[in-house]
Amino acid sequence: MPIFTGNELRRMVHEVFAPLGAGPDEILRLQDHLVENNLIGYDSHGVRVIPNYVDMVHSGDIVF
């Protein structure tokens, strides 16, 4: 299993959501919540939900 630093995870969140139309404030909020959840051990609420969020953006359930 790969190990990533918090900064690497934040960069990944930005790289995924910026092209989907998320603005800087939304990206910062996603970075803070998703990465922090991973760093404190709540992996089920961390970056592993990104594919679900991407699907929801594509289906129109999340609009930036």
Side-chain angles (χ1 to χ4, degrees), residues 42-53:
Y42 293 119
D43 295 334
S44 62
H45 290 74
V47 296
R48 72 177 287 198
V49 301
I50 289 175
N52 296 350
Y53 288 174

Side-chain angles (χ1 to χ4, degrees), residues 28-38 45-46:
L28 183 59
R29 193 171 314 119
L30 286 162
Q31 289 170 325
D32 287 346
H33 291 286
L34 296 176
V35 174
E36 184 66 21
N37 282 331
N38 275 108
H45 290 74

Side-chain angles (χ1 to χ4, degrees), residues 12-31 53-54 57 62-64:
M12 287 180 210
V13 170
H14 183 272
E15 290 173 358
V16 169
F17 289 103
L20 293 175
D25 291 339
E26 293 154 330
I27 291 171
L28 183 59
R29 193 171 314 119
L30 286 162
Q31 289 170 325
Y53 288 174
V54 170
V57 169
I62 293 176
V63 178
F64 293 115

